[in-house]
Amino acid sequence: MLAEYLSFARAHPRPLAFGFLLAALSSFGQTFFIALSGTGIAEEFAISDGQLGLGYAVATLASGFALGWAGRWIDRVSLRRYTMFSTLLLVVGCLAMATVQGPLLLVLAFFLLRMAGQGLLTHTAMTATARRFQHDRGKALALVALGFALGEAVLPPIAIGLLPWVGWRGLWWGAAAAVLLAGWAALRLLPRAEATAASRPGQQPGPRAPSLWRDARFWLVLPAILAPSFVVTGFFFHQLRLAAEIGWDLRVVAAAFAGYAVARAGAVLRAGPVIDRIGATPLLPLFLLPLVLAMGVILLGRDSQPAAVIYLLLAGLTSGVSTTMATALWTDFYGVERLGSVRATVAGAGVIASALAPAAFGWLLDLGITLHTQAAWCLAGMLVASLLTLPVTRRHRGSRRPPD
């Protein structure tokens, strides 16, 4: 498998490196990196953890709605312009964090980071890659998605090492410089023909927005597609409370996040060739099962330190497969002509789910419903979501489209 990937990467170095760089840069707008500044921000502005979380949720929610509109423009403007705008917006977000002077402006800075990082750069990396590779799309998406795992594995230890020396504001000055430099490098990698094209010609057009919402397949698979964003974000945001409830050592949990990144990368690489061989649709009833098992580990792993590692490894498997599978799935359903519009709609919904999760989990905690109990509810919900995809999978077996 690795030899196959290496051969493929050598044959297409520039477009793959372009997507990989954008995926890695999206880390500066992801929760795991932004949260590293949380303690410093709360202390400087004299706000509580709850107020900080509320501001972050509002900003993320707003970015999810905005992404549903802004993401569609990747179908209408050149890839170079779209990439340049997205990268510069993330630079502005980093600079806003480095210079923010109050809680209200902090929410705006959060919005810029979430919109540009988690939203637009992720959207650009995956959409451009899916369009570029009509064949071996799964392998291409898998290699690009390794950029997400790289950011999760490398940036936290670097940031934690720098924080005592440069402070949380200095961290964001450095992030702005890194995004500017790497964004420039990514744009240099774009072939001229792809940089100036708004979309790939000669493909069957995808559905207009109204027909997307009337497609029964879309509604049947949407709960399963959104489940990882909601469940993983919710438990990650409340990981300190989870560790206290279950009796897990925080040092073990922190170290196990490296295992999460490795598991995610391994799942990404394994899913690519499978998607190329059988398509993304047959994976729908199966890809949530590792996360279902992770909820089972929470239910059964009280006071067991290895259980914390197993929980994060299993969560990483579902996160890795879903990263590659989701974009390929919409291509299976609707083709590539309107992929940007379709993917923007779903990505926006995913961002909204990730924004609602911390608030929903916290609200239930306030009502006295433990994370242990919430894990059982999430387990049951994901099983139902997986069952809902079965009619789509059966229909796909009988009427699978030929490869592009």
Side-chain angles (χ1 to χ4, degrees):
M1 182 179 69
L2 289 178
E4 186 180 4
Y5 271 112
L6 290 173
S7 175
F8 183 68
R10 284 195 294 265
H12 309 281
R14 291 172 67 91
L16 292 173
F18 167 78
F20 180 89
L21 274 175
L22 294 191
L25 285 180
S26 74
S27 299
F28 292 108
Q30 301 285 0
T31 299
F32 75 87
F33 187 82
I34 298 173
L36 297 174
S37 303
T39 301
I41 291 171
E43 291 177 353
E44 182 167 333
F45 296 142
I47 56 178
S48 68
D49 290 338
Q51 291 170 323
L52 181 64
L54 177 61
Y56 188 70
V58 168
T60 302
L61 193 63
S63 72
F65 284 110
L67 180 61
W69 170 80
R72 299 176 184 179
W73 283 92
I74 199 171
D75 290 331
R76 305 173 189 176
V77 302
S78 72
L79 184 56
R80 180 178 296 277
R81 288 182 179 178
Y82 197 85
T83 303
M84 188 178 300
F85 170 80
S86 302
T87 304
L88 290 177
L89 190 66
L90 183 55
V91 172
V92 172
C94 293
L95 293 176
M97 282 292 290
T99 58
V100 66
Q101 295 301 317
L104 291 179
L105 292 177
L106 179 65
V107 175
L108 176 60
F110 281 158
F111 169 80
L112 293 172
L113 291 175
R114 301 295 276 164
M115 178 68 177
Q118 184 192 31
L120 294 178
L121 283 183
T122 298
H123 180 54
T124 305
M126 303 305 281
T127 302
T129 303
R131 282 181 179 160
R132 169 65 175 78
F133 293 94
Q134 298 182 52
H135 304 289
D136 296 313
R137 183 174 287 135
K139 285 195 289 292
L141 289 169
L143 287 173
V144 166
L146 289 179
F148 301 121
L150 177 69
E152 291 164 351
V154 171
L155 286 180
I158 292 176
I160 291 171
L162 289 175
L163 272 173
W165 301 93
V166 302
W168 68 270
R169 290 186 183 274
L171 195 63
W172 287 104
W173 283 110
V179 172
L180 197 60
L181 181 61
W184 172 82
L187 287 169
R188 297 278 295 175
L189 291 167
L190 264 180
R192 184 179 299 275
E194 293 182 37
T196 56
S199 61
R200 293 184 61 85
Q203 305 291 338
Q204 291 183 347
R208 296 180 181 273
S211 62
L212 173 68
W213 299 112
R214 292 199 299 265
D215 188 349
R217 296 176 302 173
F218 179 77
W219 291 107
L220 287 172
V221 305
L222 191 61
I225 295 297
L226 297 183
S229 294
F230 184 83
V231 174
V232 172
T233 302
F235 279 101
F236 279 12
F237 191 86
H238 295 283
Q239 58 186 294
L240 298 183
R241 176 66 175 267
L242 177 65
E245 270 191 26
I246 307 300
W248 291 342
D249 190 318
L250 283 177
R251 293 168 296 180
V252 174
V253 174
F257 268 92
Y260 170 84
V262 171
R264 177 172 177 170
V268 162
L269 291 174
R270 191 68 190 93
V274 173
I275 290 171
D276 288 336
R277 187 167 63 251
I278 66 174
T281 308
L283 298 179
L284 279 169
L286 304 173
F287 84 102
L288 285 177
L289 292 183
L291 192 55
V292 169
L293 293 175
M295 297 299 101
V297 171
I298 292 176
L299 293 175
L300 301 175
R302 190 177 298 275
D303 297 321
S304 170
Q305 303 312 313
V309 179
I310 297 171
Y311 149 70
L312 283 167
L313 287 173
L314 289 168
L317 292 177
T318 288
S319 295
V321 175
S322 65
T323 298
T324 307
M325 185 199 71
T327 300
L329 179 71
W330 307 127
T331 309
D332 281 356
F333 281 10
Y334 306 120
V336 298
E337 183 71 16
R338 303 297 177 200
L339 177 61
S341 297
V342 175
R343 196 187 178 285
T345 300
V346 181
V351 174
I352 292 170
S354 70
L356 293 176
F361 278 50
W363 176 67
L364 291 172
L365 285 170
D366 290 343
L367 292 177
I369 300 171
T370 65
L371 290 172
H372 189 269
T373 299
Q374 292 183 46
W377 293 0
C378 289
L379 187 154
M382 287 188 289
L383 287 177
V384 172
S386 296
L387 291 174
L388 287 175
T389 67
L390 289 176
V392 179
T393 307
R394 294 194 190 102
R395 187 189 309 176
H396 172 79
R397 291 190 189 125
S399 59
R400 186 182 174 192
R401 298 186 341 166
D404 291 336

